[in-house]
Amino acid sequence: MNPLKTELLRGTLDLLILKIVALGPSHGYAVAQRLRQISNDFFTVHQGSLYPALHRLEDRGWLQAEWRATDTGREAKFTD
């Protein structure tokens, strides 16, 4: 794939994630579900794209993350 197109897609995904996280703390699965919901199922982000993007944003200091219990009692990494 064209490197410019790859960067455009990454940047778009980053912005969408930041917009969702700005609404409140969330974990990866919830980010993916919210993205599908607000786009009326137009955007579907697979784990292979979502989690590297979340790590990339955290590494850049644009997100902070910590492990917390979910509503089901399982632990997940929440972003703020």
Side-chain angles (χ1 to χ4, degrees):
M1 183 182 290
N2 180 336
L4 184 57
K5 186 174 181 180
T6 300
E7 282 302 308
L8 178 63
L9 291 172
R10 282 185 184 161
T12 301
L13 179 57
D14 290 353
L15 287 174
L16 291 168
I17 290 170
L18 290 171
K19 176 63 177 170
I20 291 167
V21 172
L23 301 172
S26 192
H27 53 81
Y29 179 76
V31 169
Q33 292 301 101
R34 183 71 178 140
L35 182 57
R36 282 185 52 195
Q37 180 186 28
I38 62 175
S39 70
N40 293 321
D41 292 323
F42 184 80
F43 291 112
T44 301
V45 180
H46 300 283
Q47 291 180 8
S49 298
L50 177 64
Y51 290 101
L54 288 168
H55 288 289
R56 183 172 57 249
L57 293 170
E58 187 179 2
D59 290 345
R60 290 180 181 167
W62 295 357
L63 291 178
Q64 293 182 341
E66 65 180 357
W67 289 96
R68 298 184 204 160
T70 64
D71 294 338
T72 63
R74 296 176 68 182
E75 288 221 342
K77 198 170 187 182
F78 280 77
T79 59
D80 291 320

